[in-house]
């Protein structure tokens, strides 16, 4: 149902403080693939990567994949999701991964497990299991939390995922687009957006109707289908329960869903 959308060219402006989707573009030498919240669904990511790698582009163009955060939790294969991304990195595919609120939850648990037990109820238990870290039966007390945190840290180091975590970004800008996990505060300049906003915001971002300094590509807020507005595109389609992982393809002034 999602076709290729081609936008009409508009006259170049000497100063452009705001941009709308109908005039936004990425540099001519790159094709961008933005992937919404994966949440441990390595099976869906694997299929999407096959499509991305097979997608034809010009010899003068390179491919960049941007993961919009929430790679982990809820689904059963969080470790495998990161393995897949690292495999493509080793193979030479340019990739950018953004930190979502669920990665923030996980890092809190690694740093302060006794005060981060709520992560387990938000999908963290599934992430622990994907790393073969035991979620002991019975009450998950502070001692068990500390042990699970230590075991997770060791398992991630063994898999090389500690270095992966060090490369998370909060945002990525390319051309007329800004890629973030959750959104931005429309009342602040892009340079003034803090991690709490970029990883967590919903309102007033979602209902903001005016153009922004960049067209924002984001996840975080689930929809049955991708949400396309003139100032943003939302890509979280609830992959972990809907079996729909959404990928946006950007080339020049055009976009479509892969």
């Amino acid at each position: 149902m999602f076709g290729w959308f081609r936008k009409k060219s508009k006259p170049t402006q000497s100063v452009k403080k705001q941009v709308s989707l109908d005039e936004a573009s990425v540099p001519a030498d790159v094709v961008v693939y933005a992937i919404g919240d994966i949440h441990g669904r390595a099976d869906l990511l694997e299929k999407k990567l096959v499509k991305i790698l097979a997608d034809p582009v010009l010899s003068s163009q390179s491919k960049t994949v941007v993961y919009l955060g929430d790679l982990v939790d809820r689904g059963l294969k969080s470790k495998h999701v990161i393995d897949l991304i690292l495999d493509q990195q080793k193979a030479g595919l340019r990739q950018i991964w953004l930190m979502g609120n669920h990665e923030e939850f996980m890092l809190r648990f690694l740093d302060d497990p006794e005060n981060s037990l709520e992560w387990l109820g938000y999908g963290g238990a599934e992430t622990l299991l994907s790393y073969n870290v035991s979620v002991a039966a019975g009450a998950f007390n502070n001692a068990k939390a500390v042990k699970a945190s230590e075991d997770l840290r060791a398992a991630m180091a063994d898999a090389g995922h500690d270095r992966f975590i060090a490369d998370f970004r909060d945002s990525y800008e390319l051309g007329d687009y800004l890629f973030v996990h959750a959104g931005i505060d429309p009342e602040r300049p892009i340079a003034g957006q803090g991690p709490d906003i970029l990883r967590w915001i919903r309102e007033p971002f979602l209902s903001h109707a005016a153009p922004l300094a960049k067209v924002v590509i984001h996840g975080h807020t689930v929809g049955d289908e991708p949400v396309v507005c003139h100032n943003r595109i939302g890509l979280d389609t609830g992959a972990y329960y809907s079996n729909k992982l959404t990928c946006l393809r950007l080339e020049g002034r055009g976009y479509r869903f892969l």
Side-chain angles (χ1 to χ4, degrees):
M1 69 182 286
F2 300 110
W4 175 259
F5 298 83
R6 183 64 60 184
K7 292 164 282 190
K8 296 180 181 179
S9 297
K10 290 193 174 183
T12 301
Q13 301 175 1
S14 58
V15 177
K16 185 169 61 175
K17 295 182 179 180
Q18 296 177 322
V19 63
S20 294
L21 183 59
D22 63 354
E23 60 185 354
S25 67
V26 295
D29 61 350
V30 64
V31 178
V32 181
Y33 306 85
I35 298 179
D37 304 34
I38 300 168
H39 276 306
R41 289 299 303 269
D43 55 330
L44 300 180
L45 175 60
E46 192 164 19
K47 293 175 182 177
K48 200 66 68 176
L49 284 169
V50 168
K51 290 186 177 182
I52 290 171
L53 294 173
D55 186 48
V57 299
L58 300 176
S59 60
S60 59
Q61 294 175 315
S62 62
K63 297 179 179 181
T64 295
V65 180
V66 182
Y67 301 93
L68 297 179
D70 282 8
L71 309 177
V72 302
D73 295 352
R74 302 194 190 282
L76 297 176
K77 299 291 183 180
S78 291
K79 177 183 180 295
H80 189 37
V81 166
I82 298 176
D83 286 337
L84 285 171
I85 295 171
L86 288 176
D87 286 345
Q88 293 304 323
Q89 196 79 353
K90 293 174 184 175
L93 181 65
R94 175 168 167 75
Q95 300 175 111
I96 306 292
W97 44 90
L98 306 182
M99 183 172 291
N101 58 303
H102 280 262
E103 283 79 30
E104 182 180 306
F105 268 136
M106 182 175 68
L107 293 182
R108 286 182 194 170
F109 184 79
L110 287 170
D111 292 337
D112 187 13
E114 295 170 292
N115 293 307
S116 305
L117 295 179
E118 71 274 15
W119 176 57
L120 302 175
Y122 289 113
E126 290 88 338
T127 296
L128 289 174
L129 290 173
S130 78
Y131 283 93
N132 291 320
V133 174
S134 174
V135 181
F140 207 82
N141 56 33
N142 287 349
K144 290 179 180 178
V146 170
K147 178 65 164 59
S149 175
E150 292 172 347
D151 290 347
L152 177 60
R153 188 180 294 278
M156 295 184 80
D158 289 344
H161 294 185
D162 51 343
R163 296 189 299 275
F164 179 87
I165 288 176
D167 288 335
F168 269 110
R169 304 187 189 192
D170 281 321
S171 63
Y172 176 63
E173 292 184 50
L174 185 66
D176 294 314
Y177 292 93
L178 173 68
F179 303 84
V180 299
H181 174 62
I184 65 171
D185 182 343
E187 301 302 321
R188 299 189 185 193
I190 289 176
Q193 308 286 333
D196 285 350
I197 295 172
L198 298 172
R199 300 173 193 169
W200 290 92
I201 196 170
R202 287 196 168 93
E203 295 297 348
F205 168 67
L206 296 176
S207 59
H208 185 74
L212 299 163
K214 302 273 187 179
V215 174
V216 179
I217 309 300
H218 67 95
H220 187 58
T221 299
V222 179
D224 293 334
E225 303 291 347
V227 176
V228 179
C229 303
H230 68 91
N231 58 5
R232 67 180 181 92
I233 301 179
L235 299 183
D236 186 357
T237 45
Y240 73 95
Y241 67 87
S242 70
N243 298 313
K244 294 190 296 185
L245 179 63
T246 296
C247 176
L248 173 70
R249 184 188 193 273
L250 299 170
E251 179 182 5
R253 286 185 174 271
Y255 70 92
R256 65 180 171 91
F257 294 93
L258 192 65

